[in-house]
Amino acid sequence: MTAHHPDATEAPAEIRSNVPGSFARGVLTRRHPALIRQVRDAIPLGPRQHRALDRLEADVARDEITPLDDAADDHSIWNDWAQGYYGQSWLDAPFLWAESYFYRKLLAATGYFESGPWRGVDIFAPSKQAELHSKDVDAELRALDELPRQAERERERGEVLLQSSLWGNQADLGFAASSNAPAEQRRDERLVVDDRTRLWDLLAAGTPGTIAVLADNVGRELIPDLVLIDHLLRHHAERVVLYVKPYPYYVSDATAPDTFEHLRRLAAAPGEAGAVGQRLWSALATGPLEIRAHSFFCAPLEFNRMPADLHDELAECALTILKGDLNYRRLVGDRAWDPVTPFERTTAYFPSPVAALRTLKSDVIVGMAPERLDELEASGSDWRTSGTHALVQLHGVTERQLLG
Ligand SMILES: O=P(O)(O)OC[C@@]1(O)O[C@H](CO)[C@@H](O)[C@@H]1O
């Protein structure tokens, strides 16, 4: 049995990529250079953009962080966030900061923020389009016709939709290459924390006001997320606010244009998928559904640093449903927590009750039962980072809060 220290007073240090053989190191030294090659192959860039990508590749290879070199309005805020990191090693900077900055440098290289033909061009669009129009998404849409529709089976329908939204997070384009989830093993056995029953019981206990959904990836994740949102609007929420990214991020993270395209795909589909899409389309037009894209969702910071305006928006919500691995890292803190550290300890700051739906694709984990942790550690599998395992974790949701 591992000695656990869940009540350590100080939060552990932020994860860095300077540990040889660590997951974080592999992301910065292997995944990021591969991503630059993928962008060059996917988009017909000009010589200026290729030269800028050459410089980014060289920065990574030389292990030196250099300032942003595009003409963009966010340099002052990035200079504040980069305090002390310019000229330093990527591997020695906090992993969360370094990864986020890498994606901002990638957009700088292709001219995303500058005037000219490349302004606002999503360099991840080819892979996002392929995902949205994939046979897997076709199958997802057809499967909706098999959903229970009888009112008395609403909870059963909700369970199916929650599972689809949760495991849809596995389909991360930046991740697909190394995902080795054993399809045959039952999904429930691969949950490391399972608060689903509490979530449904509490949602069923009353009709909460607004539910915030912090989106993650497009395609096989955003389609189920949208279908789940339709279910929440029909049975559990007066309003849903879907927060997407203000610009392209982490390859497959959803932006507003991506979301509109997914809604078009749903609404144009036959059967139940089309009905869901048309209800969501109407909900957007009349108000119960709103899409927002706060700049903080592309910031290199933990959520406990969120600005006051976003804090106040979320404080109005009866529940925040937070999707994916990166959002989880930002929620609990991208740190080497003792995995039995109570989830509530790391989320006490959050302005609303929060439910995390995440497949595990990085080392951070809290809120585990010691026996479950020891069982997984003894398995010898890479359960923390391979995307084979997942969690539904809930904090601060009480009947009083949901009932208002
Ligand atoms: O938030 P998502 O899409 O579920 O996962 C994103 C993510 O797993 O991809 C990176 C590795 O490429 C991780 O560092 C990061 O947490």
Side-chain angles (χ1 to χ4, degrees), residues 4 27 41 76 136 138 146 165 174 215 234 240 268 338 340 343 399:
H4 296 299
V27 171
D41 294 343
S76 59
D136 289 321
D138 289 337
E146 308 311 313
S165 174
R234 296 174 74 198
V240 170
D338 185 316
V340 298
F343 182 58
E399 280 196 24

Side-chain angles (χ1 to χ4, degrees), residues 23-24 27-28 31-32 35 95-96 99 103 169-175 178 215-217 221 245 249-253 323-329 334 357-363 385:
F23 169 78
V27 171
L28 265 59
R31 205 172 285 204
H32 286 176
L35 187 55
F95 176 42
L96 181 72
E99 254 193 319
Y103 283 100
N169 177 240
Q170 214 167 39
D172 167 336
L173 297 172
F175 176 80
S178 53
D216 187 20
N217 300 315
E221 181 166 9
K245 297 300 189 295
Y249 201 58
Y250 279 71
V251 184
S252 43
D253 282 37
K323 292 301 307 306
D325 190 73
L326 173 61
N327 277 331
Y328 186 86
R329 291 168 54 201
D334 201 34
L357 276 59
R358 171 228 185 178
T359 58
L360 280 70
K361 294 182 268 188
S362 62
D363 289 313
T385 58

Side-chain angles (χ1 to χ4, degrees), residues 180-313:
N180 52 5
E184 68 290 345
Q185 192 183 7
R186 272 175 48 75
R187 283 174 159 179
D188 291 8
E189 293 166 13
R190 290 188 273 121
L191 287 173
V192 302
V193 178
D194 183 3
D195 287 342
R196 286 175 298 171
T197 301
R198 276 184 58 213
L199 175 58
W200 287 116
D201 287 349
L202 285 161
L203 283 172
T207 305
T210 300
I211 294 181
V213 176
L214 308 192
D216 187 20
N217 300 315
V218 298
R220 282 169 286 171
E221 181 166 9
L222 185 57
I223 289 287
D225 290 347
L226 290 169
V227 181
L228 178 64
I229 286 170
D230 172 62
H231 184 82
L232 292 173
L233 284 170
R234 296 174 74 198
H235 302 286
H236 301 290
E238 289 147 12
R239 292 182 65 243
V240 170
V241 180
L242 175 62
Y243 288 89
V244 295
K245 297 300 189 295
Y247 51 75
Y249 201 58
Y250 279 71
V251 184
S252 43
D253 282 37
T255 60
D258 294 323
T259 308
F260 303 144
E261 183 129 22
H262 282 59
L263 286 169
R264 274 197 292 271
R265 179 93 163 78
L266 268 169
E272 181 65 7
V276 169
Q278 284 140 37
R279 284 197 296 267
L280 289 171
W281 196 292
S282 166
L284 259 177
T286 56
L289 174 60
E290 184 182 351
I291 293 171
R292 292 184 190 160
H294 195 288
S295 61
F296 184 71
F297 288 113
C298 284
L301 306 173
E302 295 174 344
F303 280 153
N304 59 10
R305 305 265 304 272
M306 74 171 70
D309 62 335
L310 179 59
H311 181 281
D312 294 348
E313 286 180 25

Side-chain angles (χ1 to χ4, degrees), residues 157-174:
R157 179 184 172 107
E159 286 281 3
V160 171
L161 296 178
L162 185 75
Q163 282 269 44
S164 297
S165 174
L166 170 64
W167 290 101
N169 177 240
Q170 214 167 39
D172 167 336
L173 297 172

